Amino acid sequence: MPVVNIWGSLSPAARTAYPTPQEPDDEWPLHGGTAWVYYSPLNRRQLVKPVILADGFSLGASDLGELWAGLENNGRYRFISELHAIGRDVIVLGYDNRTASILDNANTAIECIQTAIRKRAGKAKLAVGGFSMGGMVTRYALAKMQHDPELPDPETSVYLSYDTPHHGAWLPISMQAFAHFLKDKWGATSPIFGQFSDLINSPAARQMSRWHLGKVGDKPDQASERRTFLQQLDAVGGWPQGIRRIGVANGVRTGAGNGIGPALTAVSGRGELLLDGTLRTQAQGEQVVATLHAAEQPPIEVHTDGLPDIDGAPGGLFPENPALPGNPASFGMAAVLMGLLGSGVELQFNTSCFIPAISAVATGEIDNRDALYSEIRDGDSELDAFACASKNEGHTTMTRELGAWLVNEIGANS
């Protein structure tokens, strides 16, 4: 299981059960969220060396039990236990609304940081960061605390991010168009046909997506919410200053893609209600990325121009949904939804690149095709140190390779 379950309540079926979480040693009600606190056994049941780990993007409120399971009971690396072993206390931070503006959830993170400082025994500096969107939430929160004279110093020595879209996230335009088409045509018949569209059009998704499509017929581009957020981030310095910035990517640094080619049919469905639903992988240049045809309606073609062939780029893959047969991901979920309309479906590609590696480690802009597929060099990052996975894997997959690197970095910079 990933650390962040991006599907949340979007799944048409019940989510896979996760192990019962360990009871927290303390719980902090916050404005806009909640934090669970787990003391290191080395610290005699008190908060001494806090590490704040913030949740990412999904529908609805954070499920801290699920977040804890993704960190600790993922079957690969017990991240919380390893932090405890070096004397670090872990604070798991969730939000009341994971689709709310990053700026709003950053206020919750600021309150969590202030609470940790107030409750801390001693003067040890904090480590603060998050997974996926949580890295953007805490990046802004720390920078704002340093920039706003009415806020206290964050007293933090390390900022960390885990497959965070520092330079934007990617969701195929064909998928976005299909989600809106589905809601327009059948959203009134069942909530499941409108939820994906609602997720795409939420404030946080608009802020993170490098190319956003608000409705069928729009031109894909940065949403106004993203432009505003980036301006707000620049206004507080862009990054926390005087704090060691570290991050990891679930994609490789070699420039090797995930094997998904451009301009290929990723998924197609045909039936009595959906006469034709064909979604294609992204190519460079002018392209018809989707053909959408509902019964008794004229067919719709969705066009793009000037985008890179990004579906196959190195990076964290759009996460699978383990609650459904076949573990559908991005294109795979489109296949599931087509099936619910009674369509016969052919699925060629289940997933696609979601967080390009150059975005997760802040080395280049994802609209630059050459940068997407080039080797990442140490000196190119806006982070002080970073690590990339040895293969392109699911977004926020916790592995020993990446988790141990973070633990070593946090321990060395206490």
Side-chain angles (χ1 to χ4, degrees), residues 40 43 48-54 71 77-91 124-131 138 142 155-162 243-248 384-387 398 401-414:
S40 168
N43 293 336
V48 178
K49 295 183 176 180
V51 177
I52 296 174
L53 303 174
L71 290 165
Y77 187 72
R78 292 184 174 273
F79 192 57
I80 293 176
S81 291
E82 294 296 332
L83 286 169
H84 280 172
I86 61 168
R88 302 306 299 241
D89 310 297
V90 176
I91 301 163
K125 294 290 185 76
L126 280 61
V128 177
F131 291 75
T138 50
L142 289 168
E155 299 188 31
T156 296
S157 61
V158 176
Y159 160 76
L160 63 127
S161 64
Y162 202 109
I243 294 173
R244 184 168 175 80
R245 306 192 296 252
I246 62 174
V248 300
D384 295 309
F386 67 85
M398 173 57 69
E401 176 182 40
L402 299 181
W405 184 87
L406 284 173
V407 170
N408 289 337
E409 279 284 329
I410 293 169
N413 293 279
S414 298

Side-chain angles (χ1 to χ4, degrees), residues 350-401:
N350 183 34
T351 190
S352 57
C353 179
F354 182 41
I355 309 298
I358 62 171
S359 179
V361 298
T363 58
E365 299 301 327
I366 67 174
D367 55 2
N368 183 333
R369 200 269 178 190
D370 290 340
L372 280 171
Y373 289 93
S374 294
E375 182 177 0
I376 296 173
R377 297 175 300 183
D378 288 338
D380 291 341
S381 179
E382 297 170 60
L383 299 168
D384 295 309
F386 67 85
C388 295
S390 56
K391 64 178 182 178
N392 296 309
E393 58 200 11
H395 174 57
T396 73
T397 298
M398 173 57 69
T399 64
R400 176 173 297 277
E401 176 182 40

Side-chain angles (χ1 to χ4, degrees), residues 330-342:
S330 51
F331 291 121
M333 183 57 77
V336 170
L337 294 168
M338 289 177 185
L340 292 175
L341 291 171

